[in-house]
């Protein structure tokens, strides 16, 4: 009970954060998030073990958050809305939207609490049905209350797709890849070459435009191929060395795309390929054709809902495939290699092939995501693929809980929303406060304060804190948790895993 | 068909200036249990590592099942039919007991990427068979059903040793190499393991090569004992013969002891005790 209240308060605090930042009708979105938190953290984890207890805790938790939402919505509109120069809604609107937000929070909390205690498999079906409903409703809500999150959520989902792929490489196979953005770039440029008029324009011919539906797969294959090419020289490397080589690759690829603005092949004075601008240099290549599907309009930039739904389908399908891999001969080979490469090879696992496959699989996801990203933003620009992309995706994988898919998704959403939505919105809020209070010297100083500049610093801070406080990630998988907290679980085993490996030493690694 | 599963000739292994294995000839007749013994640092594990492809011999030939295996990668050697355990247990610590055994079957399974993604009927059936076989093997080595989903690092020490044997058996070997399987076990566990090794040979028809310091186990179980010292083979033959070999006694106890205890039963006992005390 007190646990439910506690969670309600925390969810509410998060809701306050959203309401203060965005104002307007964002209290509805806050209600949705609070409801999810209340339902999943309080309702579904009640100690009562009965459906009544589940409903009760979910409801209480959702209600506590709801009350906080209503109050903070009133306060926000009383004190901040005019300060930042937004239009002040009527008192009736403030109240009714606040109550609606609270209602969403309570209903969701109770429903998820109830779903959890349905017998057998129906429990997870019902939970997923509710989550599916939220996923389905969200873009319509976003669109109708002009929340304006959708574009960022889509980018976040693309990054989640990347994180799912990187999770294969880092989480399952245990290969630390710091150059993952390279494949993202390769995917995007593949899409740019194949489904824009750019190449034809450069060389004065009407190039065929390959359909988006084909391009995403070609891009995935292309990236996979480069995954193999990168993977090959890293085969004998491990740990830190592998990280450094992949880091280099990740740096090289965007630079190559940047510098291929004068591309041509001349051998002994004979010009095989006339010098031309292959990649558009810093300006990149745009526009890339959007996908075409009867009944849906992907070209309308003001309504991105088709992009959202398509991506959700792609992600669900990816998770489905990854789960199949995980429980298979190949998934086990990856994990065995991560645990002990030498023992794995002695059990009949071809290390070369297994490593390359992990690299190629991860890279394909990244290439696929890159093509989607290119089509979504309508172009391929070298600045979208710098090192920070690799770092962010890696953070998603680690923050969520290495090797755990729900963790990767939650971690990904948190990072992407903080990075692209909350941080810029804080800046925007502060700047408009300063603008609308230019005559107040203590507030106008805010004009110069830009939190987005601290972005990388904040990332670093989050990573350090995570590693200190919760190294297993937000939603760790059981085995990871055991591994990292082995010292607490059973001191003997932790010590034993440190035993020397002199049994078979360096030579095998290099042979 | 040769009568020997393994024929090694003139095997040398040097690490820089150190000769860890020096010109050793070694055969393992099919269907036997053979032992490789010798004091610490004699080169026993190094010899294992050369059979399994982890080390490449500096010189010498190694014929397994009528084919040369020199220069093959470990996974290729395993695919030919050599299974092994490690002196310092090397399980996949963060995988369950069942998964460990399933990994052992890797080379025997055929599922490829496409089949796995499509979950074809053949792949599903194969996976199901693999699971049943893994459970069978776990039971064979004496790990009960309730241990199946336990993370392997959380298993008691003795069970970890047994699990490693199950994992090696899962590779479907013709020759099983066990590197000090009874190390760190109490007499009761050692007896159980000795029985298991016999079962492996008698019931599964697998030839066993054993590195062992416990002389009671070695003498009780092996048909042939080979003694290494400083990388060289100093004695070979039936257990009784090797036991009374002067050079062997000398290798274990030092020169003086051998001279003093010529033919005496007391020394024989001392050999056993000193070896057990390790
Ligand atoms: N990779 C290596 N590099 C250098 N020297 C090695 C290597 N592996 C083994 N040696 C050396 O080779 C010699 C034989 O070692 P090995 O492990 O084969 O002995 P062993 O007979 O198994 O001994 P023990 O009974 O202690 O297990 C030792 O001197 C060891 O230090
Ligand atoms: Mg040894």
């Amino acid at each position: 009970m007190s646990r439910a209240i506690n969670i309600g308060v925390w969810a509410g605090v998060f809701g306050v954060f959203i309401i203060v930042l965005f104002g307007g009708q964002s209290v509805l979105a806050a209600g949705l998030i609070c409801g999810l938190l209340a339902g999943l953290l309080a309702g579904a984890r009640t100690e009562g073990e009965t459906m009544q207890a589940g409903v009760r805790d979910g409801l209480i938790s959702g209600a506590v958050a709801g009350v906080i939402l209503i109050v903070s919505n009133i306060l926000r509109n009383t004190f901040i809305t005019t300060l930042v120069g937004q239009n002040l809604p009527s008192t009736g609107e403030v109240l009714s939207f606040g109550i609606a937000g609270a209602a969403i929070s309570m209903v969701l909390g109770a429903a998820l609490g109830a779903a959890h205690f349905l017998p057998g498999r129906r429990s997870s079906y019902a939970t997923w049905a509710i989550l599916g409903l939220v996923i389905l409703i969200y873009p319509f809500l976003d669109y109708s209350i002009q929340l304006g999150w959708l574009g960022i959520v889509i980018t976040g989902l693309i990054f989640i797709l990347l994180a799912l792929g990187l999770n294969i490489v880092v989480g399952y196979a245990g290969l630390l890849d710091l150059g993952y953005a390279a494949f993202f770039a390769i995917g995007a440029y593949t899409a740019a070459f194949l489904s824009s008029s750019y190449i034809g324009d450069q060389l004065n011919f009407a190039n065929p435009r390959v359909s988006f539906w084909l391009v995403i797969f070609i891009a995935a294959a292309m990236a996979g191929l480069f995954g193999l090419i990168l993977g090959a020289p890293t085969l004998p490397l491990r740990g830190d060395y592998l990280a450094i080589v992949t880091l280099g690759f990740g740096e090289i690829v965007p630079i190559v795309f940047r510098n291929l603005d004068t591309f041509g092949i001349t051998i002994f004075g004979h010009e095989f390929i006339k010098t031309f601008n292959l990649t558009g240099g810093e300006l990149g290549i745009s526009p890339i054709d959007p996908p075409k599907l009867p009944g849906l309009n992907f070209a309308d930039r003001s309504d991105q809902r088709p992009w959202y739904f398509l991506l959700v389908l792609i992600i669900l399908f990816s998770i489905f495939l990854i789960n199949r891999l995980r429980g298979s001969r190949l998934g086990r080979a990856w994990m065995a290699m991560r645990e002990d490469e030498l023992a794995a090879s002695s059990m009949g696992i071809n290390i070369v092939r297994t490593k390359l496959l992990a690299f190629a699989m991860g890279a394909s996801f990244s290439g696929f995501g890159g093509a989607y990203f290119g089509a979504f933003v309508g172009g391929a620009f070298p600045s979208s693929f710098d090192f920070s992309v690799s770092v962010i995706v890696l953070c998603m994988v680690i923050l969520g809980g290495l090797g755990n898919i729900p963790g990767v998704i939650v971690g990904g959403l948190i990072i992407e929303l903080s990075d692209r939505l909350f941080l810029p919105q804080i800046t925007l809020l502060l700047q408009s406060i300063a603008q609308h209070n230019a005559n107040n010297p203590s507030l106008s100083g805010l004009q110069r304060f830009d939190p987005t500049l601290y972005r990388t610093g904040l990332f670093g801070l989050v990573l350090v804190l995570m590693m200190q406080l919760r190294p297993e990630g937000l939603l760790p998988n059981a085995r990871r948790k055991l591994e990292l907290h082995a010292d607490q679980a059973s001191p003997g085993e932790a010590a034993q895993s440190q035993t020397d490996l002199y049994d078979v030493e360096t030579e095998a690694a290099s042979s | 068909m040769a009568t020997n599963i393994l024929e090694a000739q003139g095997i040398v292994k040097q690490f820089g200036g150190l000769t860890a294995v020096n010109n050793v000839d070694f055969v393992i007749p099919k269907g036997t249990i053979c032992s490789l013994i010798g004091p610490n640092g004699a080169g026993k594990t190094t010899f294992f590592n050369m059979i399994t492809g982890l080390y490449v011999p500096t010189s010498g030939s190694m014929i397994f099942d009528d084919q040369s295996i020199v220069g093959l990668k470990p996974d290729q050697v395993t695919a030919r039919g050599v299974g092994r355990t490690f002196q310092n247990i090397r399980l996949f610590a963060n995988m369950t007991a069942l998964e460990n055994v399933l990994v052992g079957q890797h080379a025997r399974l055929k599922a490829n990427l496409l089949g796995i993604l499509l979950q074809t009927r053949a792949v599903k059936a194969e996976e199901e068979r693999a699971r049943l076989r893994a459970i069978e093997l776990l039971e064979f080595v004496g790990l009960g059903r309730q241990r199946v989903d336990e993370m392997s690092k959380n298993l008691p020490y003795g069970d970890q040793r047994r699990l490693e044997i199950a994992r090696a058996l899962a590779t479907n070997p013709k020759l099983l190499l066990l590197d000090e399987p009874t190390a760190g076990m109490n007499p009761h566990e050692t007896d159980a393991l000795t029985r298991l090794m016999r079962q492996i040979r008698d019931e599964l028809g697998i030839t066993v090569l054993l590195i062992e310091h416990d002389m009671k186990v070695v003498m009780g179980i092996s048909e042939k004992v080979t003694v290494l010292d400083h990388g060289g083979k100093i004695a070979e033959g039936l257990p009784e013969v090797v036991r009374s070999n002067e050079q062997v006694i000398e290798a274990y106890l030092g020169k003086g002891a051998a001279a003093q205890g010529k033919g005496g039963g007391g020394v024989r006992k001392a050999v056993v005790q000193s070896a057990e005390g390790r």
Side-chain angles (χ1 to χ4, degrees), chain A residues 118 188 323 382 473:
Chain A
L118 284 172
N323 272 333

Side-chain angles (χ1 to χ4, degrees), chain A residues 324 327-329 332-333 339-340 342-343 345-346 348-350 479 483 493 496 500 503-505 507 511, chain B residues 13 45 49 54-55 75 78 86-88 90 93-94 99 102 106 109 111 117 119 127 151 153 160:
Chain A
R324 284 191 163 175
S328 77
R329 169 176 179 264
R332 287 192 298 265
E339 295 294 314
D340 188 334
L342 222 139
S345 76
S346 296
I349 291 170
N350 182 331
R479 61 180 60 184
E483 191 177 337
E493 280 137 20
Q496 194 196 315
D500 66 326
D503 213 358
V504 172
E505 276 163 7
E507 189 184 342
S511 68
Chain B
K13 180 67 197 178
T45 301
N49 288 342
L54 290 171
Y55 294 164
D75 55 293
T78 306
F86 295 89
Q87 183 169 355
N88 305 316
R90 300 187 79 140
N94 296 294
E99 284 172 328
L102 284 170
H106 184 88
L109 303 179
L117 292 180
Q119 286 285 298
E127 190 69 18
M151 214 59 81
K153 68 170 176 203
Q160 291 195 5

Side-chain angles (χ1 to χ4, degrees), chain A residues 427-446:
Chain A
T427 309
L428 194 74
L429 201 71
L430 294 177
Q431 309 243 312
S432 44
I433 288 177
Q435 249 166 42
H436 290 274
N437 302 276
N439 44 7
N440 182 340
S442 66
L443 287 181
S444 63
L446 289 174

Side-chain angles (χ1 to χ4, degrees), chain A residues 502-503, chain B residues 39-46 48 87-88 179-180 211 213:
Chain A
Y502 106 104
D503 213 358
Chain B
N40 288 104
K44 307 179 295 291
T45 301
T46 304
F48 262 31
Q87 183 169 355
N88 305 316
D179 200 341
E180 299 192 23
I211 293 178
H213 278 307

